[in-house]
Amino acid sequence: MATELSRTDKDAEIRVEDNIKGDHVETKDEHLRDMVLGAAEAQKEGRSPWKVLLENKKVLLLILAVQSNAIIVGVEFSMPGNLLGIPAFLKLFGVESGDSYAIQAKILTIWSALFATFQVIGQFVGGWQSDYFGRRICLYTVIFWTYIGVMLEVISSDWKMWLGSKIVIGFATGIMQSVVPTYVAEVAPRELRAIYLSFFNMCMNIGGLFATLVSYGTQTAYGSNIDDLRAFRIPLYVALALPTISLLAELCILVESPWWLLMRGRKDQARKNLDYIYSWQDNYDSEAMMAALEYTLEKEAEENELAKQSSYLDCFKGVDLRRTFCAVFPPITQNLTGQNLAGTYTTYFFQIAGSKTPLVNSVITTVVGLGANFATFFLIENKRVGRWGLLFSGLIVMTISMLAIALIDVIGHSVYNYAAGVMLTLFVSLFIAASTIGPGVAGWAYTGESGSSRLRAKTATLGTVGNAIVGLVMTSVLPYMLNSPSAGGAGWGARTGFMFFILGVACCVGVYFFVPEYVGRSYAQLDELFARKIPARKFKSTETTGEYGRDVIA
């Protein structure tokens, strides 16, 4: 057994060596003992993800309770595009346009821009709140603001009141996007970390499908009467149940993150919560796991000379700058390659493209995305595929799909027919599937895993903020860009896909050269690889020693 322990005191090293008996550590120095045990635990080879999953069902239930918050994010991201296909909504919040009603492009931009702006504010507040008050309190705060926002949606009677609801819900989803990946990354076993992080995107897809199906059902039932507000208000009533489900689930099982408790010096409570979370795991070793957490935190402090208090500026210093890039860039590639065109504005996009059944097409693409999300559970922890394989291949398909969407519009000269509609639905579905397995799942896994333990909440916040800022720009300009000349506007319509194709090529290059693979690595191993400045493409093949590349005490 090798002892991975950084000590300048030679006598201390000898004492550790002399007291190692096989896998058992015997020493009177408690701190040295914990560090040796923690090093051994951190350097262990990961076990089969499926075996770990079956061993500890309590962790699965805990993660599902926390990730259920993401359903409301999916609802809110999909709802605007879905409601734009319901005449009653257009009449109440829009203006008369010929024989129908439409929401002015400037109003759509104001809604999207302020939603995204307060989402960014919420992400910063969430990062600070989860660091200062704890992850658990922050998660309950999300539910409170979600209730307020959805109730404002229900009572809205003009576009300004609807704007108020978007501001509140944007703030709530911002907090949620900051705290949920942080909590999941800290609680999940390393063998299942990426799978459990991918639940966020799956829950978003479920929320999106829910919003689309309910909107389609109410439009079918009540849409023939343009004055029947039930066509769009019933989906809002149903949405009020979502935060209630999350609240009840969290009240039953949610506990504070052991990582956060340990960083606050509350070692006894951290051990108690670890015991609670992993109590069903057959080979659970409370002492070894606790030592691994302490070892990881101490090694980070030694290598980075971090103070007890950290700031966002620390995320841009030294090795942490690279880690911040790895947290920010993968998820923003989703927006840079056209997610808002084929995701948020799916129904609206099909409508301006000339589709006669925009909501039906949206249901098809959403179901495809959900199926792709399920497939990632079997691939993201596979060492032959992993996070990077999903991210890179997903970006390639997204980029090609955007080119195809634009070409369909050029070849069809903006005249919708059955063949063009089938091809459009096909490539949008391909894009949604690739977006899900790539930036949607793998990208958000990078956001949750890239930060060092002391900066994890702040790094995750920067990842979500970066994505929200890019999303803000895209959602602000897309209503104008989609308003094509054939629809009486001055935009590009579906030919906007050409712009996203060019951006997609740039994203593929960036991911290839600068984003590493994390599959199978413990946080201590990732710390070492980053500290040693291992090139991105060599992360997967480089062996770690526990001594950050220096000689190991044998």
Side-chain angles (χ1 to χ4, degrees), residues 318-339:
V319 174
D320 286 307
L321 174 60
R322 185 184 179 193
R323 301 183 77 146
T324 299
F325 173 82
C326 292
V328 174
F329 188 68
I332 70 171
T333 59
Q334 191 170 34
N335 277 316
L336 289 174
T337 46
Q339 171 64 22

Side-chain angles (χ1 to χ4, degrees), residues 211-224:
T212 304
L213 287 174
V214 175
S215 299
Y216 175 72
T218 54
Q219 168 64 7
T220 302
Y222 309 110
S224 58

Side-chain angles (χ1 to χ4, degrees), residues 15-32:
R15 285 202 310 274
V16 174
E17 282 186 293
D18 289 344
N19 288 287
I20 299 175
K21 310 296 183 183
D23 287 333
H24 181 62
V25 181
E26 297 175 353
T27 174
K28 294 180 181 179
D29 189 324
E30 269 315 302
H31 180 73
L32 286 176

Side-chain angles (χ1 to χ4, degrees), residues 34-311:
D34 289 344
M35 290 302 98
V36 174
L37 185 60
E41 184 70 18
Q43 297 300 321
K44 274 184 180 179
E45 183 73 18
R47 299 184 297 137
S48 164
W50 307 114
K51 185 175 182 179
V52 176
L53 176 65
L54 293 174
E55 279 183 0
N56 199 336
K57 300 178 181 64
K58 184 179 283 187
V59 176
L60 175 61
L61 294 175
L62 175 60
I63 298 299
L64 288 175
V66 172
Q67 294 284 31
S68 65
N69 286 282
I71 295 177
I72 193 66
V73 179
V75 169
E76 290 304 325
F77 280 6
S78 299
M79 192 71 78
N82 292 329
L83 295 183
L84 290 174
I86 298 178
F89 180 85
L90 297 177
K91 182 179 180 181
L92 182 62
F93 297 106
V95 295
E96 193 169 357
S97 176
D99 296 332
S100 59
Y101 292 86
I103 309 292
Q104 293 174 289
K106 67 176 182 180
I107 301 300
L108 289 175
T109 297
I110 291 172
W111 285 350
S112 300
L114 284 181
F115 175 89
T117 299
F118 278 85
Q119 191 177 23
V120 171
I121 294 172
Q123 287 162 353
F124 277 114
V125 171
W128 166 80
Q129 187 183 37
S130 65
D131 265 351
Y132 193 82
F133 294 104
R135 320 313 193 203
R136 189 183 186 195
I137 294 295
C138 197
L139 286 165
Y140 286 130
T141 304
V142 168
I143 294 174
F144 170 78
W145 287 112
T146 301
Y147 270 127
I148 301 298
V150 177
M151 285 189 285
L152 284 173
E153 280 185 332
V154 170
I155 65 174
S156 293
S157 58
D158 58 47
W159 74 267
K160 293 179 181 177
M161 291 183 68
W162 187 263
L163 174 62
S165 71
K166 295 294 100 182
I167 288 173
V168 176
I169 291 180
F171 182 71
T173 57
I175 297 175
M176 184 189 310
Q177 288 177 314
S178 174
V179 67
V180 169
T182 301
Y183 183 87
V184 172
E186 291 179 341
V187 169
R190 67 163 160 165
E191 295 91 346
L192 295 168
R193 201 166 56 221
I195 294 176
Y196 284 160
L197 282 167
S198 72
F199 281 3
F200 190 88
N201 197 79
M202 182 190 73
C203 289
M204 283 183 60
N205 277 326
I206 291 173
L209 179 60
F210 170 84
T212 304
L213 287 174
V214 175
S215 299
Y216 175 72
T218 54
Q219 168 64 7
T220 302
Y222 309 110
S224 58
N225 182 359
I226 197 172
D227 295 312
D228 194 338
L229 301 183
R230 290 179 296 179
F232 77 88
R233 284 222 163 120
I234 286 179
L236 302 179
Y237 297 145
V238 177
L240 275 174
L242 299 178
T244 304
I245 295 171
S246 295
L247 177 61
L248 292 175
E250 289 178 6
L251 286 173
C252 291
I253 197 169
L254 185 64
V255 294
E256 185 54 81
S257 163
W259 284 93
W260 183 84
L261 290 168
L262 190 58
M263 285 187 286
R264 291 300 178 274
R266 296 160 61 178
K267 185 173 180 178
D268 291 340
Q269 185 63 45
R271 185 187 296 274
K272 181 179 178 182
N273 284 12
L274 274 176
D275 293 343
Y276 171 82
I277 294 169
Y278 292 102
S279 59
W280 290 3
Q281 189 165 307
D282 292 340
N283 66 340
Y284 170 64
D285 186 335
S286 176
E287 189 176 14
M289 186 170 289
M290 190 69 185
L293 265 63
E294 292 182 285
Y295 165 79
T296 303
L297 290 172
E298 179 152 326
K299 291 296 288 185
E300 287 178 6
E302 289 176 1
E303 289 297 318
N304 300 304
E305 298 181 353
L306 295 174
K308 290 184 179 179
Q309 299 297 324
S310 59
S311 69

Side-chain angles (χ1 to χ4, degrees), residues 380-391:
I380 197 165
E381 290 293 355
N382 184 298
K383 292 187 177 181
R384 293 185 178 180
V385 182
R387 295 111 166 100
W388 189 86
L390 290 176
L391 177 63

